[in-house]
Amino acid sequence: MEEQFEIRLQKLQKLRDMGIEAYPYRFEKTHSFTEVKATFEEMNGDALAGEERVLKLAGRIVAIRKMGKSSFLHLFDGEEKLQIYVRRDVLSERDYEVFLLLDIGDHIGVEGTIFRTRSGELTLLVKRLTFLAKSFHPLPEKWHGLQDKELRFRQRYLDLIVNETSRRTFKLRSRMMQAIRLFFYDRGYTEVETPMMHPIPGGASARPFVTHHNALDIKLYLRIAPELYLKRLLVGGMEKVFEINRNFRNEGISLMHNPEFTMLEFYELYRDYTHCVSLTEELIEVLNGLFCKDRVIEWNGNAIDMSPPFERRSFMDLLAEKTGLAVERLWDGSTLSGFIKENLPGEELPPTFGKMLDLLFDRLVEGSLQNPTFVTDYPKAISPLSKVSRRDDRETERFELYIAGMEIANGFSELNDPLDQRRRFEAQLQDRERGDDEAQWLDADFLRALEQGMPPAAGEGVGIDRLVMLYAGAPSIKEVILFPLLRPKE
């Protein structure tokens, strides 16, 4: 690799010695390769022979095939590949000297006319050549050079050059973000932006990242969720709001977890959680129309039917099925601790009743929820921001959507009683004292906002990264985040 670097560095110096600008400021393209193919694809060789339009194109050299005084090259412009044809008797002597100093990976601009080769491939006959940038390192071989997943994530730029699957995944992600925004714009929602640095972490049960503001000399926390700020907007009278936001949680890294991730959160006044359920199914149906029109996705070897309406199952009923315990017994903390000790001997016993419920659901239930399922009626002990259920005051009007064993969405009828919210926060503080370092903090400013009066409302958070995983068929969240967090190389 070091030898390659030195050889290419010498070639760059030769170009400079010729008076070639090594890194020019701009190049005026007339077409992308996609536009070239769309414009000329239907024209046969005879029709192209009469085509006099001169095209100016640019791209990275990904293949060179030399045949004496003529050569075929393939250029890649980030979207498509296109063949170009270089002949010594067509180029100027100076341009041909530049061509001889080119390597795979270099960027060039070319000017010429389009034709078809004997095999029928659309090709540009190069009449002028402009050097745009030197690549000092060879590209990975197409089939063998970038199979190392960690290398792909560390050097995403190489991954995007050689792996079409990766390019498709991130185009899908971009289209999904556009579709989600349009979905909410069409329904009268206002897109907003809320702070990413919080004086008190809130809106979810998670460990935060901590930072410090020097001028104010205060501790701040990277956002774990925007929920409490978005609900402040509801208090202010904004009836429908949504935010596509980056959240940060100081947690482990896995196939489904990255410490920095993207969420959609939306809130609407005068609604309850059943509205969020319906809206979620509408959103999924829109995404189905874009990314899987037959409404079936293949994920990790399973065919998953994405057709709404989705199944509804209560949290405690599902837990009862998997543990074999009657629902009423599950409300007893000593029963849960005994079950965990007997059936999950390798697990450390969680410090609180809510954490025991979380552990059992995570280990016994989640993986079984392959087809889309709304899990409803979450216990109050693990739902500090949700309204109490109208059918059982031990439960809340909360749901989570699971697909392929992953939590995709979390929504509820919002707790708008400031007195009850204070009691819930205080209970969370007690859980923190018992050892639950993910329990939520008491946010006095948020309580003050609720005391101004917030009408009935419903809200939901949706994991964008996991949605992309599903529709792209990606088995790891690292496949759908351009630059996932990795341990630095020593």
Side-chain angles (χ1 to χ4, degrees):
M1 294 293 287
E2 192 64 32
E3 182 182 0
Q4 284 269 7
F5 185 93
E6 288 300 325
I7 291 172
R8 292 176 181 228
L9 191 61
Q10 292 169 15
K11 288 184 177 181
L12 180 66
Q13 187 57 51
K14 289 180 181 178
L15 288 166
R16 284 180 161 146
D17 292 344
M18 291 170 57
I20 300 297
E21 190 170 10
Y23 294 98
Y25 287 87
R26 62 189 293 162
F27 180 81
E28 297 291 344
K29 295 193 320 177
T30 59
H31 296 73
S32 69
F33 294 173
T34 301
E35 290 169 337
V36 170
K37 292 184 177 181
T39 302
F40 300 105
E41 196 63 55
E42 300 302 319
M43 297 176 67
N44 61 27
D46 292 337
L48 287 174
E51 179 61 53
E52 297 182 354
R53 261 183 291 183
V54 175
L55 310 183
K56 295 182 72 175
L57 313 175
R60 181 191 292 272
I61 301 170
V62 293
I64 300 176
R65 183 160 50 96
K66 293 184 177 180
M67 300 179 297
K69 297 181 180 180
S70 63
S71 302
F72 286 97
L73 291 76
H74 276 99
L75 300 186
F76 173 63
D77 69 353
E79 297 284 340
E80 290 276 358
K81 292 178 184 176
L82 186 74
Q83 182 168 267
I84 66 170
Y85 181 45
V86 173
R87 284 177 45 176
R88 185 168 190 168
D89 61 347
V90 174
L91 284 182
S92 69
E93 184 176 340
R94 179 183 173 85
D95 281 0
Y96 195 73
E97 286 184 45
V98 170
F99 165 72
L100 293 177
L101 294 171
L102 296 178
D103 293 294
I104 290 176
D106 290 353
H107 286 268
I108 59 172
V110 290
E111 184 175 338
T113 53
I114 204 80
F115 74 101
R116 285 196 186 276
T117 62
R118 290 177 183 175
S119 64
E121 185 171 354
L122 276 177
T123 304
L124 185 87
L125 173 62
V126 180
K127 298 182 178 179
R128 293 185 64 184
L129 187 150
T130 303
F131 182 78
L132 298 179
K134 170 62 75 175
S135 172
F136 292 107
H137 303 283
L139 295 177
E141 293 180 44
K142 180 176 181 182
W143 302 116
H144 307 291
L146 206 61
Q147 297 301 308
D148 184 331
K149 287 187 177 181
E150 183 175 328
L151 181 62
R152 290 178 47 229
F153 303 145
R154 287 189 186 279
Q155 299 183 27
R156 183 67 82 182
Y157 43 92
L158 292 181
D159 183 37
L160 293 171
I161 292 169
V162 302
N163 288 331
E164 186 178 353
T165 299
S166 291
R167 295 196 298 273
R168 281 201 308 266
T169 293
F170 291 107
K171 289 177 195 174
L172 182 152
R173 183 182 180 113
S174 176
R175 289 176 61 206
M176 182 179 289
M177 300 285 266
Q178 294 175 42
I180 288 171
R181 282 192 162 92
L182 185 60
F183 178 89
F184 285 97
Y185 292 156
D186 286 348
R187 285 158 180 77
Y189 279 74
T190 300
E191 184 172 9
V192 297
E193 295 176 301
T194 60
M196 294 178 73
M197 293 190 296
H198 293 181
I200 295 175
S205 297
R207 287 186 293 271
F209 287 95
V210 185
T211 187
H212 186 268
H213 190 282
N214 292 333
L216 296 178
D217 192 24
I218 58 172
K219 185 185 290 186
L220 292 170
Y221 303 87
L222 294 185
R223 174 171 64 194
I224 59 175
E227 177 170 342
L228 301 188
Y229 282 91
L230 290 168
K231 288 200 276 196
R232 285 171 169 91
L233 300 181
L234 299 182
V235 172
M238 298 185 74
E239 186 172 335
K240 299 179 178 182
V241 295
F242 81 96
E243 181 175 10
I244 295 177
N245 55 78
R246 303 304 290 269
N247 292 334
F248 306 85
R249 298 182 185 176
N250 202 344
E251 59 188 15
I253 297 173
S254 72
L255 293 176
M256 292 184 286
H257 295 89
N258 191 69
E260 177 182 2
F261 60 98
T262 304
M263 290 280 289
L264 157 73
E265 291 212 12
F266 62 92
Y267 294 81
E268 184 171 345
L269 289 176
Y270 316 118
R271 300 287 195 175
D272 67 8
Y273 76 130
T274 61
H275 174 70
C276 289
V277 168
S278 298
L279 206 59
T280 303
E281 289 180 328
E282 289 179 33
L283 176 60
I284 293 293
E285 189 68 340
V286 167
L287 299 181
N288 286 343
L290 291 172
F291 307 121
C292 68
K293 291 182 171 55
D294 62 356
R295 295 176 174 77
V296 175
I297 60 173
E298 295 291 332
W299 201 83
N300 264 4
N302 296 319
I304 297 174
D305 184 358
M306 298 289 286
S307 307
F310 302 146
E311 186 177 7
R312 275 81 160 157
R313 297 293 308 279
S314 80
F315 181 97
M316 295 302 265
D317 284 347
L318 285 167
L319 205 53
E321 285 182 11
K322 295 300 181 180
T323 61
L325 299 171
V327 167
E328 281 305 314
R329 293 194 65 199
L330 292 173
W331 290 108
D332 176 63
S334 61
T335 298
L336 294 187
S337 62
F339 183 90
I340 291 170
K341 290 175 184 177
E342 181 178 349
N343 295 277
L344 302 173
E347 295 286 350
E348 183 178 346
L349 187 66
T352 66
F353 174 67
K355 279 294 182 182
M356 286 190 280
L357 287 172
D358 269 337
L359 173 64
L360 289 173
F361 193 84
D362 177 64
R363 296 293 186 270
L364 304 180
V365 180
E366 284 190 4
S368 67
L369 302 174
Q370 292 297 308
N371 281 330
T373 304
F374 287 111
V375 179
T376 63
D377 307 313
Y378 272 65
K380 186 166 68 173
I382 54 175
S383 309
L385 299 170
S386 311
K387 287 181 82 76
V388 171
S389 170
R390 283 166 272 192
R391 73 182 184 95
D392 187 331
D393 63 8
R394 297 171 297 182
E395 298 175 342
T396 60
E397 293 196 347
R398 175 186 170 193
F399 70 88
E400 288 188 344
L401 173 62
Y402 279 85
I403 306 175
M406 296 188 292
E407 177 201 338
I408 302 297
N410 178 22
F412 33 86
S413 301
E414 300 296 338
L415 178 56
N416 59 337
D417 178 345
L419 303 179
D420 189 9
Q421 183 65 82
R422 181 178 293 276
R423 288 191 294 270
R424 305 272 196 98
F425 278 155
E426 289 171 347
Q428 288 283 295
L429 291 179
Q430 292 174 9
D431 285 348
R432 181 172 287 275
E433 291 172 0
R434 296 188 189 103
D436 181 0
D437 59 357
E438 293 186 345
Q440 297 198 32
W441 298 28
L442 191 151
D443 188 333
D445 184 72
F446 174 66
L447 289 173
R448 190 177 304 115
L450 281 187
E451 288 167 0
Q452 292 290 334
M454 187 178 89
E460 182 177 343
V462 180
I464 298 295
D465 307 300
R466 292 181 182 180
L467 268 183
V468 178
M469 287 172 66
L470 289 172
Y471 284 103
S476 167
I477 197 169
K478 291 185 177 70
E479 299 282 0
V480 302
I481 294 176
L482 279 168
F483 300 102
L485 183 66
L486 300 168
R487 186 187 299 277
K489 278 198 166 182
E490 296 179 358

